[in-house]
Amino acid sequence: MCGIIGILGNHEASPQLVEALRRLEYRGYDSAGVATIDASGRLDRRRAVGKLVNLSDRLVHEPLPGHTGIGHTRWATHGAATEANAHPHRSGPVAVVHNGIIENFRELRAELQGMGIQPQSQTDTETVALWTAHYLQQGMSPQQAARATLARLDGAFALAFLFEGEGDLIIAARKGSPLAIGHGTNEMFLGSDAVALAPFTDRITYLEDGDHAVLTRAGVQIFDVAGEPVQRATNRIDVGSTAIDKGGYRHFMAKEIAEQPAVIGDVLNHYVKDDRIILPEGLDFNDVDRISLVGCGTAHLAGHVAKYWFEQLAGLPCDIDVASEFRYREPPLSDRSWFVAISQSGETADTLAALHYARAHVARTVGLVNVGTSAIARDSDVALPTLAGIEVSVASSKAFTCQLAVLAVLALKAAHDRGRIDDRALAAHLRDLRSIPALMSQALALSDDCRDHADWLAGARDVLYLGRGALYPVALEGALKLKELSYIHAEGYASGELKHGPIALIDGDVPVVVLAPHDALFDKTISNMQEVMARHGRVLLISDAGGIAAAGEGVTASLTLPSGGGVFQPMLYAVPMQYLAYHAAVAKGTDVDQPRNLAKSVTVE
Ligand code: G6P
């Protein structure tokens, strides 16, 4: 978590640092801070609790001169969101920004305290600054002091060090957490991702695990884990693809929901030509005996939907796991199985750790990622882009449905390779899948209706979501979205499970959102809905015209989705899940794009 930035520039650094931090705010927004070296070599810093705007306001009244600086946007792990715990952390002539967790910081801090050195914060990061300052005091150079400190750190980190009196030096290091170096003309930059650096440069070098780098305006020297100088590739990134704007929408989330038909269309154009599925060489399911789909949050739920497709269409046994449980469960994995890591950011620490565990055991690892340069993309045997474009809103919407689209393609490929469907059946399923963007455009028209019902949800303390079959994980996603965005307690249940406990919660105050397309499972789901209504539960029924006609009587409210899409219909039902949560959050006045306590890229386990 957290975003870091460093600039060795030729202009005032603090406005540039703030601009870059704005692009990293998705990584956390508990506090923000910058430190600079001014023309006389003086190190100073400004920090502010809460969103970046508080820091930029502060900089208006208390400007921070200097062309060299580091910055940080925080997602709190150790210590509350206070100014004392905000980065950059400083000890005498050293300032440090950090993304990750220093796991042995307690031992490191106790040792410092034994020497009479007292920390000023509760953070793990401050120990890095304290140790570096301690080594400097012993006569080491900045580079020696940073190296000596790095050698003592356990855990995951991307770090940047700034030194008083050293206006042409930033030292950076990474282990676990991502770090990009940007090359300018007589300027150098570093950042947690390339998007943060896009306003300054399109030439990027990614550090590898264990690397540290010494940056001056003239360039960068990179050293590997053994301290040996190494060359790392420099690539040009497509800066055009890093544009971040709301495009006239009030929130990024509203824009991203509305983009879904277009980006799903892009996915299908990429992976399907006529009636053929186009995947990288070697992705053949003939000898595969099992597939594991692993992710966190919404990405995990995309896997949960796809489990139904892999099992029903391809007859392929499919496990799904939340990434944080997968590794520690030590699941037995067959050497004929595939492991699929699903991740928008491609940097989620738990998903990456699960991938690293799996690759020693399985036949093939596949990374389903939205960020093509991410660690999961790099560390998988095959990376499949989900092509959603930049998703800024912390709560995922278009990244989820694009993950579903790629998983649908994979499941169809598996079904065809394994002889479960012939060419004709494949073509029919592909027609269903290709109909999704247009159907989804129709589903987007439900936004206003969702707004009307969202007022009702926004007033509730608890909300239940029910679904059956592949709509069950969509119900889970609906509940997750509502929790994330509007802080209303919500639970998703398999509708058949209702009577085994959750039905005790039903009364006239608990809205129950029922997802029930008019399909083979419809009658069973509607029976569960009737059980709710018999107990005075108030139901919002989401179905198609056939379903609403058959069972809409007596419900409190209904939403009518288009029918069609075949087995890929769950993608359509994602839309009202997103809009209900979005409008409930707007009605409650919560921060839609940056909900409290969350971050978009979760780089700590
Ligand atoms: C965070 C985000 C979620 C996201 C999850 C997994 O919790 O708030 O929206 O689904 O991480 O992220 P990933 O980048 O791996 O898809």
Side-chain angles (χ1 to χ4, degrees):
M1 324 288 269
C2 304
I4 71 171
I5 180 78
I7 294 179
L8 286 156
N10 295 313
H11 308 280
E12 283 304 305
S14 52
Q16 293 187 322
L17 290 167
V18 168
E19 161 66 4
L21 289 176
R22 191 176 66 78
R23 293 167 160 259
L24 289 173
E25 220 181 356
Y26 71 90
R27 301 175 78 91
Y29 30 82
D30 287 333
S31 64
V34 289
T36 59
I37 306 285
D38 72 12
S40 68
R42 186 167 166 269
L43 170 64
D44 201 358
R45 66 179 167 173
R46 302 280 181 271
R47 299 175 297 169
V49 173
K51 296 281 186 71
L52 185 60
V53 65
N54 298 341
L55 175 69
S56 43
D57 285 354
R58 184 162 204 169
L59 284 165
V60 172
H61 303 292
E62 302 169 57
L64 198 58
H67 293 183
T68 301
I70 55 176
H72 187 267
T73 180
R74 180 170 187 242
W75 187 83
T77 60
H78 295 72
T82 61
E83 187 168 332
N85 288 331
H87 301 218
H89 286 285
R90 179 173 185 181
S91 176
V94 185
V96 172
V97 288
H98 169 218
N99 162 32
I101 291 179
I102 308 300
E103 285 168 2
N104 61 336
F105 87 98
R106 285 181 191 81
E107 296 91 295
L108 292 173
R109 193 166 58 180
E111 217 180 307
L112 288 165
Q113 284 168 327
M115 295 187 286
I117 300 170
Q118 287 307 330
Q120 307 296 311
S121 78
Q122 289 118 31
T123 64
D124 52 337
T125 308
E126 192 192 0
T127 53
V128 178
L130 290 167
W131 272 104
T132 312
H134 171 70
Y135 287 131
L136 283 174
Q137 218 174 21
Q138 291 187 335
M140 291 188 187
S141 68
Q143 197 177 336
Q144 289 166 333
R147 272 191 184 188
T149 304
L150 290 168
R152 306 215 44 190
L153 305 180
D154 292 336
F157 49 79
L159 283 163
F161 301 78
L162 197 62
F163 299 89
E164 187 146 58
E166 300 280 352
D168 193 23
L169 177 69
I170 296 178
I171 296 178
R174 79 154 281 207
K175 184 179 156 208
S177 306
L179 195 55
I181 306 289
H183 304 257
T185 307
N186 200 30
E187 291 185 313
M188 289 298 289
F189 308 91
L190 67 88
S192 295
D193 68 24
V195 175
L197 304 183
F200 318 120
T201 180
D202 64 351
R203 284 188 297 137
I204 299 294
T205 303
Y206 286 97
L207 293 190
E208 292 192 6
D209 241 15
D211 285 355
H212 75 275
V214 178
L215 285 84
T216 65
R217 283 179 180 74
V220 60
Q221 281 180 288
I222 302 177
F223 301 87
D224 67 11
V225 70
E228 297 298 325
V230 279
Q231 297 291 327
R232 303 290 183 214
T234 301
N235 293 309
R236 281 194 190 271
I237 55 151
D238 176 7
V239 180
S241 68
T242 65
I244 295 178
D245 71 79
K246 290 188 188 146
Y249 288 87
R250 186 168 162 201
H251 299 100
F252 282 108
M253 187 171 185
K255 173 174 173 251
E256 288 160 5
I257 293 172
E259 281 171 355
Q260 289 177 108
V263 289
I264 290 170
D266 292 343
V267 171
L268 298 181
N269 285 336
H270 184 84
Y271 289 105
V272 182
K273 298 269 173 302
D274 303 322
D275 287 338
R276 280 184 310 121
I277 289 170
I278 312 292
L279 285 171
E281 200 69 16
L283 280 188
D284 186 317
F285 284 84
N286 272 316
D287 288 326
V288 182
D289 67 356
R290 197 167 199 94
I291 186 165
S292 295
L293 307 177
V294 173
C296 298
T298 291
H300 165 248
L301 294 175
H304 198 159
V305 174
K307 176 180 169 71
Y308 289 82
W309 296 334
F310 278 105
E311 296 192 341
Q312 288 171 356
L313 294 172
L316 180 61
C318 179
D319 296 319
I320 45 157
D321 256 296
V322 283
S324 54
E325 286 298 316
F326 180 79
R327 188 159 59 119
Y328 301 110
R329 204 160 57 75
E330 295 180 21
L333 296 169
S334 130
D335 59 6
R336 289 175 53 207
S337 70
W338 285 13
F339 174 92
V340 181
I342 308 169
S343 175
Q344 189 285 129
S345 63
E347 300 289 352
T348 300
D350 283 317
T351 312
L352 189 59
L355 170 67
H356 290 164
Y357 170 87
R359 68 182 173 185
H361 305 281
V362 302
R364 190 176 293 274
T365 57
V366 179
L368 224 87
V369 289
N370 199 36
V371 180
T373 51
S374 59
I376 290 175
R378 290 198 300 269
D379 291 358
S380 304
D381 296 333
V382 182
L384 298 180
T386 50
L387 303 169
I390 289 183
E391 191 180 65
V392 177
S393 168
V394 167
S396 190
S397 57
K398 63 175 180 170
F400 173 64
T401 45
C402 284
Q403 285 160 353
L404 287 178
V406 180
L407 287 162
V409 168
L410 270 184
L412 286 176
K413 175 79 164 59
H416 193 251
D417 287 351
R418 293 162 62 81
R420 298 285 292 224
I421 56 173
D422 61 14
D423 288 351
R424 261 184 64 183
L426 175 64
H429 282 303
L430 286 175
R431 261 197 309 281
D432 285 340
L433 193 52
R434 284 210 199 86
S435 70
I436 293 290
L439 294 169
M440 208 174 237
S441 296
Q442 293 175 44
L444 292 178
L446 288 181
S447 178
D448 288 349
D449 291 348
C450 287
R451 183 173 44 226
D452 296 343
H453 304 319
D455 283 343
W456 169 37
L457 299 191
R461 202 192 57 196
D462 308 288
V463 179
L464 291 183
Y465 287 74
L466 303 181
R468 198 176 264 275
L471 270 301
Y472 162 45
V474 180
L476 293 175
E477 171 64 2
L480 178 61
K481 282 279 92 75
L482 193 71
K483 275 187 277 214
E484 285 181 300
L485 292 180
S486 67
Y487 319 147
I488 296 167
H489 173 243
E491 297 293 339
Y493 277 96
S495 49
E497 187 66 9
L498 179 77
K499 51 195 170 296
H500 301 294
I503 200 163
L505 299 174
I506 302 292
D507 63 23
D509 294 329
V510 181
V512 182
V513 180
V514 178
L515 310 184
H518 200 215
D519 59 12
L521 302 177
F522 179 75
D523 289 339
K524 292 211 185 303
T525 307
I526 293 305
S527 300
N528 303 134
M529 184 183 90
Q530 297 296 345
E531 292 155 14
V532 170
M533 286 160 60
R535 287 159 181 84
H536 310 293
R538 292 186 303 151
V539 167
L540 168 56
L541 174 62
I542 307 181
S543 184
D544 41 49
I548 301 292
E553 203 180 311
V555 299
T556 305
S558 63
L559 289 169
T560 309
L561 279 165
S563 55
V567 294
F568 308 112
Q569 211 175 30
M571 294 166 74
L572 295 183
Y573 281 70
V575 173
M577 299 299 93
Q578 296 160 353
Y579 272 141
L580 286 171
Y582 171 77
H583 288 300
V586 173
K588 280 194 78 172
T590 57
D591 191 332
V592 171
D593 286 330
Q594 294 182 331
R596 70 182 179 202
N597 302 339
L598 299 180
K600 189 150 190 70
S601 183
V602 183
T603 53
V604 294
E605 286 190 41

